[in-house]
Structure formats: structure tokens, C-alpha cells
């Protein structure tokens, strides 16, 4: 299937539950690492090192999904189209170095191809942005960005007179983005998935971020 086909299938799957954007916000996990899980979530994520190592072992050695990672990584439905390592990496439950060495073992005992290389490549990209964030600090959140660009005209909720038509328009547009009610099905489906389950695919994150910064 093409990227467009996958996007259509994904939107239809999310829209099967019209109340996806109206669910209650997820409850904070308890100390044992458990949390209420929306049945539509791509995985029943559970915190901790043991769960992280189980996921690495499953994605590499049990399922061999890593061998087709490059071909499937832009998927949006299900648990196996991509590694889903990011939550455990972000919380320190597993390290990029450990995953790298496990992939090396996989390549030595199973197969080394573009997909195994590409997953390592993505881990390197992740570390690059982590180090970039350390270097630039909170400047990455400034409207001028790390490069201190002053020549980009951004739209802000505070543009125009407070309470005026411009501010109301921007505020309404941003709220529609947050709630998944922009009228753009692909964007809305991704935002509703994030709101309901706490997860959004890599491809979804890229497109949603692009929509927010370049179109909205």
C-alpha cells in the first residue's frame, strides 16, 4: 500500500470511535508502573527496565520485525510497524547503547540489511537531538530558535489587541488543533490518538508538527 492508502486506513480506524477526542485525560501512573490503558493504544505500555528489555528482545529476536523496519516504519496502526522503543529510552529504562549492541548481535546471528542499519541510524539521530537540546538549552523553545532567527513571521495567540478578532481567531485555531477538530482528518486522527492513548506514531508526529508550524 502507498503512504496515502496507509493514511486513509489510519484515519478510518481512529474515526470508528467518534468520541476519541472526548475521553478523560490519562490518569498518572501508580508507583508500580501501571496505568489505565486505552484499548485502542498501539501497545499496552508498561514502565521499567524489565518491560523495556522484553520489548527489545521481542522486536529483534522473537518477531524479527527489525529485519523489515525500513519498509514498515511509516506505518500508523499496530504494535510492530516500528520499534516503539522511545518511551523506555526517554525514561531511562533502556539505553541506546544497549539497543545498538543487541542489533549488532542480531546482525551477526540473523541478518544485516538496510533495516537493521536504519534503526541504528535513527538511534544516532535521537542522540544528536538530545545533545543539541543540551547545547542550546531552552533556546530550542524560543520563537527565534537555536539560531536566533528574527526574520520568521510567526502567528501568536497574543497577536493584535487583547480580546480582539485576531487573538480570538488564533486561540480558536490552536484549540481546534489540540482537540483534533481542525477539519483535516489526518491531523485530527493523530491528535485524537495522542489525547486518548498518549501515543502518536513517528510519521504522525512529523506531519502534525509540520501542520502546526507551517500551515495553521
Amino acid at each position: 500500500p502507498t503512504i496515502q492508502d496507509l493514511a486513509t486506513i489510519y484515519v478510518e480506524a481512529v474515526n470508528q470511535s467518534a468520541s476519541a477526542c472526548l475521553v478523560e485525560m490519562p490518569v498518572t501512573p501508580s508507583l508500580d508502573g501501571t496505568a489505565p490503558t486505552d484499548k485502542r493504544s498501539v501497545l499496552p505500555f508498561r514502565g521499567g527496565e524489565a518491560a523495556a528489555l522484553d520489548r527489545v528482545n521481542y522486536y529483534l529476536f522473537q518477531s524479527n520485525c527489525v529485519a523489515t523496519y525500513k519498509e514498515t516504519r511509516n506505518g500508523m496502526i499496530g504494535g510492530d510497524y516500528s520499534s516503539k522503543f522511545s518511551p523506555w529510552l526517554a525514561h531511562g529504562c533502556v539505553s541506546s547503547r544497549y539497543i545498538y549492541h543487541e542489533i549488532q548481535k542480531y546482525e551477526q546471528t540473523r541478518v544485516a540489511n538496510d533495516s537493521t542499519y536504519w534503526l541504528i541510524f535513527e538511534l544516532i539521530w535521537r542522540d544528536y537531538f538530545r545533545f543539541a537540546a543540551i547545547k542550546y538549552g531552552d533556546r530550542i523553545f524560543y520563537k527565534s530558535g537555536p539560531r536566533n532567527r528574527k526574520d520568521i513571521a510567526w502567528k501568536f495567540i497574543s497577536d493584535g489587541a487583547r480580546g480582539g478578532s485576531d487573538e480570538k481567531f488564533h486561540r480558536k485555531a490552536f484549540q481546534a488543533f489540540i482537540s483534533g477538530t481542525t477539519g483535516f482528518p489526518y491531523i485530527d486522527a493523530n491528535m485524537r490518538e495522542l489525547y486518548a492513548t498518549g501515543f502518536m506514531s513517528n510519521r504522525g508526529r512529523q506531519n502534525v508538527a509540520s501542520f502546526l508550524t507551517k500551515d495553521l
Side-chain angles (χ1 to χ4, degrees):
T2 66
I3 293 296
Q4 184 176 0
D5 292 335
L6 292 173
T8 300
I9 294 170
Y10 169 73
V11 170
E12 291 175 350
V14 173
N15 285 341
Q16 286 179 0
S17 177
S19 62
C21 66
L22 303 176
V23 298
E24 295 181 358
M25 290 297 287
V27 178
T28 302
S30 60
L31 293 179
D32 66 359
T34 61
T37 301
D38 191 291
K39 64 181 180 180
R40 294 161 297 186
S41 179
V42 293
L43 280 180
F45 289 106
R46 183 180 178 85
E49 182 183 37
L53 299 184
D54 284 345
R55 178 61 186 177
V56 173
N57 183 59
Y58 169 80
Y59 193 74
L60 272 61
F61 297 102
Q62 291 184 27
S63 68
N64 285 307
C65 286
V66 67
T68 56
Y69 169 75
K70 190 176 181 182
E71 290 76 30
T72 64
R73 66 195 179 95
N74 288 325
M76 307 187 78
I77 298 176
D80 292 344
Y81 62 81
S82 65
S83 72
K84 309 296 188 301
F85 295 157
S86 57
W88 290 288
L89 283 165
H91 287 86
C93 302
V94 69
S95 68
S96 295
R97 180 176 297 181
Y98 175 83
I99 296 172
Y100 166 78
H101 285 297
E102 289 300 292
I103 296 174
Q104 291 279 290
K105 292 179 184 177
Y106 182 90
E107 290 181 326
Q108 293 166 8
T109 59
R110 302 284 178 88
V111 64
N113 60 17
D114 285 349
S115 288
T116 55
Y117 162 80
W118 210 259
L119 185 51
I120 292 173
F121 182 76
E122 295 290 359
L123 288 172
I124 294 171
W125 263 118
R126 182 184 183 278
D127 276 357
Y128 167 79
F129 284 111
R130 299 282 287 192
F131 286 122
I134 293 173
K135 176 180 179 179
Y136 294 109
D138 61 0
R139 283 174 57 191
I140 63 176
F141 300 108
Y142 291 2
K143 64 179 181 179
S144 57
R147 297 173 61 189
N148 200 32
R149 292 278 299 275
K150 304 291 187 180
D151 58 332
I152 302 176
W154 296 101
K155 290 184 293 186
F156 290 93
I157 290 176
S158 59
D159 285 350
R162 184 171 180 79
S165 59
D166 285 344
E167 180 185 0
K168 291 178 180 178
F169 173 80
H170 295 322
R171 189 178 297 278
K172 183 178 180 181
F174 188 62
Q175 185 57 46
F177 172 76
I178 293 173
S179 61
T181 55
T182 66
F184 292 88
Y186 179 80
I187 301 300
D188 292 345
N190 276 284
M191 293 302 292
R192 292 179 185 191
E193 180 184 18
L194 176 65
Y195 188 77
T197 72
F199 179 85
M200 185 190 299
S201 70
N202 174 61
R203 183 56 53 189
R205 293 193 296 271
Q206 292 184 54
N207 283 282
V208 163
S210 179
F211 178 83
L212 174 63
T213 58
K214 300 182 182 298
D215 296 291
L216 188 61

